[in-house]
Amino acid sequence: MKLYEDLAAELEHQIRNGVLSAGTRLPSVRRASQHRRVSKGTVIRAYLLLESRGLIESRPQSGYFVRKVAQRREPQALRASRPNPASAPVDVGRLVLSTLRSIGADAAMPLGSPYPDPKLFPSARINRYAHAVARTRTQWSVTDELPPGSPELIRQIARRYLENGTTVDPHEIVVTVGATEAINLCLQAVARPGDIVAVESPTFYAMLHAIERMGMRAVEVATHPTHGIDIGALARILGRQRIAACMVMPNFQNPLGFRMPDERKRELVALLARHDVPVIENDVYNELYFGTTHPAPLKAYDSKGLVLHCASFSKSLTAAYHIGWAMPGRYRDQVEKLKFLNTLTTPAIPQLAIARYLEHDGYDYHLRRVRKAYAQQARLMIAAVNRYFPPGTRTSQPQGGYVLWVELPPAVDAMRLYRMALERGITIGPGHMFSATQAYAHFIRLNYSYAWSPATERALAEVGKMAAACMRQAPR
């Protein structure tokens, strides 16, 4: 164990055995450092770890205090989904739109937001680059904004993949208006109205939107909460019906947060290659990992050009500029043409501003800070859900990203809970949005990207009470 973990374990033992009772003030960081003969950083990390476990709390200008410890309840792991294998038309757009509007309401606690906290982004620096580009470049041509995009940005994107262990061909990259456009263009390139598209279950609703918009049908594939799509189940589906494409998020999937093991990524790519089925990979969270190594994309295992890789800077750097890209493999020319026909251009100034930030500024430093914050806040939220939600609640164990998937007891109707929470100024993401068949009626998605605060904890406690009330009022 590391020194700070040693110290945290000792203090936790004393708290749980009543040696340190509720309300006891812990020694100051300086005093604990001197007494234990460890660095102040070690003490701070130990205290933060205990805080993430709900054992102590920080009071401004007063220090750290022992909390009242509720009876310990270990988090229960999620189970693998078992969706209906029949294909279904998709109709979740209206629900998602109304939900997103409510999430954007003034002063609402954004537990249901799909967006990261913008306060963690270096917006001022990127804006300065944008202003400098606009000020110094007086001659503009439409060719600066035409597909495939700014050569300067494309070069930086390719360099980033190389730094993270994946070699890509910069000529394959097509810059888009965010990852959503990239996903839509890739789906349009490989499938037609009426086609069947295989998706994870649960799946991110932007994938369902793309299928719905193009008049296609979705078939949901069972997905394990820690290692991803059930490859055996997908193989059986491929054996009995024609699948035009598959859409997956192998790295920190929204809403489950898993990181698909590398051997399963290889297996998935090989299976789809045998059936000559293209796969659209949504990899927008790839930079937001909690471990020590960058995750490999499916693209790294593609030898037939069947992986259409989509990503963006919206989750890791800035959501304001809506800059994404696609690496569509053998479908690259179709995607570039569709980009031109659909939206013609991608604005040049945001592309160049991001390119110059990547080249000259501290992207890695920024990402380390964001990953550390998200990992800490994930632990805090899991601990709070475990503490305040009804017995029988299960949570995902995110390995990256910033969303938590919560399975409530079956008696809780997530839509009813969503409406009750909204009346109290709290937003949550109802599970109905993550399935074409609205299969997740007692699930919710929570966002932990926003800085942890007493208000956040109070909101989660309130949602837990409302969930318990839903259980009591449910028909017997």
Side-chain angles (χ1 to χ4, degrees):
M1 296 176 69
K2 297 178 181 177
L3 278 176
Y4 79 92
E5 292 174 327
D6 249 343
L7 176 57
E10 181 183 334
L11 292 172
E12 179 173 357
H13 180 73
Q14 293 177 2
I15 292 169
R16 294 201 181 280
N17 286 320
V19 177
L20 296 174
S21 57
T24 300
R25 185 180 185 274
L26 295 183
S28 69
V29 171
R30 182 178 61 81
R31 184 179 170 194
S33 170
Q34 294 171 344
H35 179 68
R36 301 274 180 171
R37 296 182 181 178
V38 296
S39 70
K40 291 179 182 178
T42 296
V43 178
I44 291 170
R45 292 185 73 182
Y47 283 4
L48 288 173
L49 183 57
L50 292 171
E51 189 176 23
S52 74
R53 295 172 180 170
L55 296 172
I56 67 174
E57 62 185 359
S58 173
R59 298 179 187 171
Q61 300 180 337
S62 298
Y64 288 91
F65 292 79
V66 177
R67 300 182 57 148
K68 182 178 179 181
V69 181
Q71 183 178 2
R72 189 168 187 175
R73 199 175 83 224
E74 293 297 329
Q76 295 189 59
L78 286 173
R79 295 159 292 198
S81 62
R82 288 287 176 262
N84 187 331
S87 65
V90 181
D91 186 16
V92 296
R94 192 178 301 277
L95 171 62
V96 173
L97 178 59
S98 64
T99 304
L100 292 181
R101 281 175 174 163
S102 67
I103 287 167
D106 290 341
M109 176 61 69
L111 298 180
S113 173
Y115 310 115
D117 182 358
K119 291 178 182 177
L120 283 171
F121 290 161
S123 302
R125 293 185 186 182
I126 297 173
N127 288 341
R128 283 198 291 270
Y129 283 117
H131 293 153
V133 169
R135 187 174 60 252
T136 59
R137 189 164 179 174
T138 56
Q139 296 295 320
W140 293 92
S141 167
V142 69
T143 57
D144 293 315
E145 303 185 337
L146 287 174
S150 160
E152 195 173 327
L153 177 60
I154 288 172
R155 183 169 59 253
Q156 292 302 323
I157 291 171
R159 193 191 76 174
R160 187 69 196 168
Y161 279 94
L162 183 62
E163 290 171 352
N164 289 329
T166 301
T167 302
V168 301
D169 180 359
H171 296 98
E172 188 184 339
I173 297 171
V174 178
V175 178
T176 60
V177 182
T180 299
E181 184 185 39
I183 291 166
N184 278 273
L185 293 174
C186 288
L187 184 60
Q188 194 175 352
V190 300
R192 299 291 178 266
D195 281 350
I196 298 173
V197 179
V199 298
E200 297 158 318
S201 182
T203 193
F204 182 41
Y205 49 73
M207 318 277 255
L208 296 175
H209 288 173
I211 296 170
E212 179 179 356
R213 187 176 76 84
M214 297 178 201
M216 300 169 189
R217 298 172 66 86
V219 59
E220 299 186 23
V221 185
T223 302
H224 194 276
T226 59
H227 52 251
I229 195 166
D230 186 329
I231 296 173
L234 178 60
R236 290 190 290 275
I237 291 170
L238 290 168
R240 64 173 177 260
Q241 57 185 309
R242 182 187 177 278
I243 301 297
C246 185
M247 302 178 78
V248 296
M249 295 182 72
N251 292 321
F252 320 123
Q253 191 247 22
N254 186 343
L256 288 169
F258 60 77
R259 173 177 173 169
M260 180 183 274
D262 288 348
E263 62 272 17
R264 294 184 63 83
K265 290 174 183 172
R266 290 191 190 93
E267 188 180 349
L268 175 60
V269 172
L271 170 67
L272 294 169
R274 287 196 299 273
H275 290 268
D276 206 40
V277 172
V279 55
I280 297 169
E281 175 184 26
N282 183 347
D283 207 26
V284 294
Y285 300 102
N286 72 87
E287 295 279 16
L288 303 179
Y289 53 92
F290 296 164
T292 57
T293 58
H294 193 282
L298 291 184
K299 191 73 177 174
Y301 306 108
D302 179 29
S303 60
K304 295 183 66 176
L306 285 168
V307 176
L308 295 87
H309 178 91
C310 304
S312 81
F313 293 109
S314 297
K315 311 301 184 187
S316 60
L317 185 59
T318 173
Y321 286 14
H322 301 288
I323 296 298
W325 63 92
M327 291 190 288
R330 67 168 71 165
Y331 302 95
R332 189 261 180 210
D333 290 343
Q334 294 99 304
V335 168
E336 182 181 58
K337 179 181 177 182
L338 288 166
K339 164 65 183 175
F340 178 74
L341 293 175
N342 278 271
T343 54
L344 185 63
T345 63
T346 301
I349 290 177
Q351 293 187 68
L352 292 170
I354 289 176
R356 293 181 187 181
Y357 176 88
L358 294 174
E359 183 176 5
H360 300 296
D361 237 304
Y363 189 37
D364 281 307
Y365 173 79
H366 158 71
L367 287 171
R368 285 195 295 271
R369 185 171 61 93
V370 171
R371 291 174 194 138
K372 182 178 179 181
Y374 286 177
Q376 172 74 4
Q377 287 158 201
R379 291 193 292 269
L380 287 165
M381 183 165 279
I382 290 170
V385 168
N386 184 48
R387 187 157 59 246
Y388 297 122
F389 281 42
T393 298
R394 300 171 183 268
T395 67
S396 60
Q397 300 295 314
Q399 296 174 284
Y402 54 82
V403 296
L404 182 71
W405 187 237
V406 180
E407 179 184 2
L408 297 160
V412 180
D413 179 352
M415 281 305 299
R416 181 164 182 247
L417 181 63
Y418 158 74
R419 288 189 286 267
M420 290 172 67
L422 196 58
E423 289 175 359
R424 292 164 174 78
I426 304 168
T427 66
I428 58 176
H432 301 66
M433 299 191 297
F434 300 89
S435 167
T437 58
Q438 298 190 5
Y440 299 96
H442 61 284
F443 289 73
I444 60 173
R445 187 194 66 183
L446 301 174
N447 180 323
Y448 53 76
S449 72
Y450 291 80
W452 192 262
S453 68
T456 306
E457 185 158 350
R458 286 193 298 271
L460 284 165
E462 188 69 19
V463 173
K465 290 177 185 176
M466 288 184 278
C470 286
M471 290 178 65
R472 290 192 299 270
Q473 297 164 11
R476 299 288 180 181

